[in-house]
């Protein structure tokens, strides 16, 4: 897939505004310097916040062995290149680029600095000094879909998406299939807003989904705007990337939490030890990269058990929502009875399952 802007909060001003931040931490020769590129401000919730928690975990775990620096609000276009390059020129030995839209830019800069190691999040292009890493968010979506399939009174569920990239398509499909496992008639109304973070758009799209009869809406964007609308309407939804229950205590059923710390520590330690090698990592429930926030008391006990069983099944390998038969939106059989989609297939998926309907 081509470069798709991801979480472009401050497109025009991002890189220019970020560059001055690069010099704030002086390089210390006896420490390994590690850089992070963030697409938005750290804030106190969501995608960038979760990645920064991972950075802080590196600081805490490795202490004086490392020095971490970061740049916020870096757009996912060509302007990211000088920002990544500057981190390398500062002496960073390891640079994490934490969003899909930095893929080609990471590869380009990596060619210029063969002695610097890079880690790109959610992409698929690697090199000797470029690793890729991801999280099986779709496993968490299976839990949310299971809860929604059991709790929805209308059987019409909403999905607030960002861009049609594999990560999002996977999430939509996992959510829909899991809901249909509990309610075969369940359908998912989908709205893509072409942004990872745009609270007004997210709120407006949520209103649209509610008007279409959705009584539960899950979000694949970063702000709690959808949850706040659902709270006002007395409906339900889920947090994204972090526990967002404080924003909508009644509407927030649970959330997928992104846990990056252990991976970041492991890879930083490998640089310190001189054992770093390029690889692809795609962890999930089993490894702890994906977690589920505490359940809202509104979730009945039998539904909690179903949700817990999904988590347990992913951890012990006995459950996979992408097991056939699976049909696409047009009713074509895409996965035969008993077959399970491979991770390679899931990584590039670009079609929606039966029951997903555009809300546009």
């Amino acid at each position: 897939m081509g470069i798709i802007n991801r979480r472009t909060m401050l497109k025009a001003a991002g890189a220019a505004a970020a560059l001055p931040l690069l010099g704030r931490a002086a390089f210390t020769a006896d420490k390994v310097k590690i850089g992070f590129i963030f697409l938005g401000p750290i804030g106190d919730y969501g995608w960038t916040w979760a990645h920064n928690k991972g950075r802080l975990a590196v600081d805490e775990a490795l202490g004086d062995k490392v020095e971490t620096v970061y740049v916020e609000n870096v757009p996912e276009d060509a302007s990211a290149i000088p920002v990544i390059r500057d981190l390398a020129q500062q002496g960073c030995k390891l640079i994490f680029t934490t969003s899909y839209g930095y893929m080609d830019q990471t590869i380009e800069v990596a060619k210029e600095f063969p002695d610097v190691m890079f880690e790109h999040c959610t992409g698929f292009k690697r090199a000797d000094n470029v690793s890729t890493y991801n999280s099986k968010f779709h496993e968490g979506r299976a839990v949310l879909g299971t809860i929604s399939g059991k709790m929805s009174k209308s059987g019409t569920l909403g999905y607030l998406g960002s861009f049609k990239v594999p990560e999002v398509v996977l999430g939509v499909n996992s959510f829909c299939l899991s809901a249909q496992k509990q309610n075969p008639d369940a359908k998912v109304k989908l709205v893509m807003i072409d942004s990872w973070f745009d609270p007004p758009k997210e709120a407006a799209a949520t209103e649209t989904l509610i008007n279409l009869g959705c009584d539960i809406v899950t979000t694949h964007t970063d702000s709690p705007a959808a949850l706040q609308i659902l709270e006002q309407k007395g409906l339900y939804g889920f947090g994204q990337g972090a526990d967002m229950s404080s924003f909508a205590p009644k509407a927030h059923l649970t959330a997928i939490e992104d846990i990056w710390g252990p991976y970041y520590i492991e890879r930083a330690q490998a640089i310190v030890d001189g054992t770093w090698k390029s690889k692809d990592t795609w962890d999930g429930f089993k490894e702890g990269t994906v977690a589920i926030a505490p359940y809202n008391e509104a979730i009945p006990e039998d539904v909690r058990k179903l949700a817990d069983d999904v988590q347990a099944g992913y951890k012990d390998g006995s459950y996979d929502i992408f097991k056939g038969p699976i049909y696409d939106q047009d009713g074509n059989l895409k996965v035969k009875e008993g077959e399970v989609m491979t991770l390679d297939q899931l990584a590039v998926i670009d079609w929606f399952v039966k029951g997903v309907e555009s809300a546009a």
Side-chain angles (χ1 to χ4, degrees):
M1 301 181 67
I3 297 174
I4 300 175
N5 286 337
R6 179 179 171 101
R7 304 162 202 267
T8 48
M9 293 176 59
L10 299 173
K11 286 183 179 177
L19 280 169
L21 298 175
L22 296 175
R24 61 197 172 132
F27 176 62
T28 306
D30 58 349
K31 293 182 178 180
V32 173
K33 194 168 186 178
I34 301 172
F36 290 79
I37 297 290
F38 296 144
L39 56 88
I42 291 170
D44 55 4
Y45 56 80
W47 181 266
T48 295
W49 175 80
H51 280 283
N52 189 60
K53 277 190 68 179
R55 181 188 68 83
L56 294 173
V58 172
D59 284 341
E60 184 174 353
L62 302 187
D64 292 340
K65 297 178 183 176
V66 300
E67 174 189 5
T68 64
V69 295
Y70 61 87
V71 186
E72 301 173 278
N73 300 319
V74 180
E76 296 169 288
D77 54 27
S79 63
I81 292 175
V83 181
I84 302 171
R85 181 184 292 131
D86 196 75
L87 283 178
Q89 289 172 333
Q90 278 194 65
C92 287
K93 298 303 181 187
L94 176 64
I95 297 173
F96 292 96
T97 54
T98 64
S99 191
Y100 181 86
Y102 300 138
M103 182 163 60
D104 289 342
Q105 298 91 321
T106 301
I107 293 292
E108 182 170 335
V109 177
K111 291 176 183 175
E112 301 174 23
F113 298 90
D115 294 331
V116 176
M117 305 303 127
F118 296 81
E119 300 257 353
H120 177 238
C121 186
T122 73
F124 56 84
K125 294 184 179 179
R126 287 180 289 284
D128 288 345
N129 62 333
V130 181
S131 280
T132 50
Y133 64 104
N134 202 346
S135 184
K136 296 173 183 170
F137 306 112
H138 60 278
E139 295 182 351
R141 298 283 168 195
V143 174
L144 309 190
T146 299
I147 294 171
S148 300
K150 288 294 287 185
M151 291 187 66
S152 173
K153 295 177 180 177
S154 68
T156 301
L157 309 171
Y159 200 105
L160 174 59
S162 47
F163 299 97
K164 191 182 178 184
V165 295
E167 173 196 325
V168 177
V169 175
L170 260 183
V172 174
N173 289 342
S174 177
F175 181 76
C176 184
L177 290 171
S178 301
Q180 291 169 343
K181 208 173 179 68
Q182 305 305 323
N183 175 4
D185 295 326
K187 55 188 176 184
V188 173
K189 299 286 187 181
L190 171 66
V191 175
M192 296 283 196
I193 64 169
D194 296 328
S195 174
W196 291 100
F197 184 92
D198 189 331
K201 261 189 172 181
E202 294 170 61
T206 303
E207 293 275 11
T208 298
L209 291 168
I210 293 171
N211 290 337
L212 290 171
C214 301
D215 56 358
I216 298 179
V217 177
T218 190
T219 58
H220 213 131
T221 55
D222 281 350
S223 92
L227 279 167
Q228 291 169 324
I229 296 294
L230 295 166
E231 182 92 353
Q232 294 170 13
K233 304 287 186 181
L235 301 173
Y236 293 124
F238 303 95
Q240 158 69 7
D243 186 338
M244 293 183 172
S245 56
S246 62
F247 296 96
K250 293 181 180 177
H252 184 278
L253 290 175
T254 184
I256 297 172
E257 295 190 68
D258 305 339
I259 312 295
W260 297 110
Y263 181 79
Y264 285 162
I265 292 169
E266 174 195 335
R267 301 302 279 167
Q269 184 68 59
I271 290 291
V272 171
D273 295 341
T275 58
W276 188 98
K277 291 183 179 179
S278 177
K279 66 175 184 177
D280 178 50
T281 301
W282 198 3
D283 292 336
F285 273 130
K286 182 178 179 181
E287 299 83 5
T289 304
V290 175
I292 294 296
Y295 297 135
N296 189 303
E297 61 182 14
I299 301 178
E301 195 58 40
D302 62 324
V303 181
R304 292 176 182 229
K305 183 178 184 311
L306 287 170
D308 286 344
D309 287 347
V310 171
Q311 294 185 61
Y314 272 119
K315 289 176 182 176
D316 66 19
S318 63
Y319 185 89
D320 196 322
I321 195 59
F322 288 102
K323 182 177 182 180
I326 300 174
Y327 297 85
D328 67 14
Q329 286 175 299
D330 298 322
N332 302 308
L333 181 63
K334 299 291 285 188
V335 184
K336 295 178 181 177
E337 174 81 36
E339 289 186 357
V340 178
M341 295 185 71
T342 66
L343 289 178
D344 286 343
Q345 291 172 321
L346 295 178
V348 296
I349 192 168
D350 60 357
W351 51 271
F352 292 110
V353 301
K354 188 177 181 180
V356 176
E357 301 175 358
S358 172

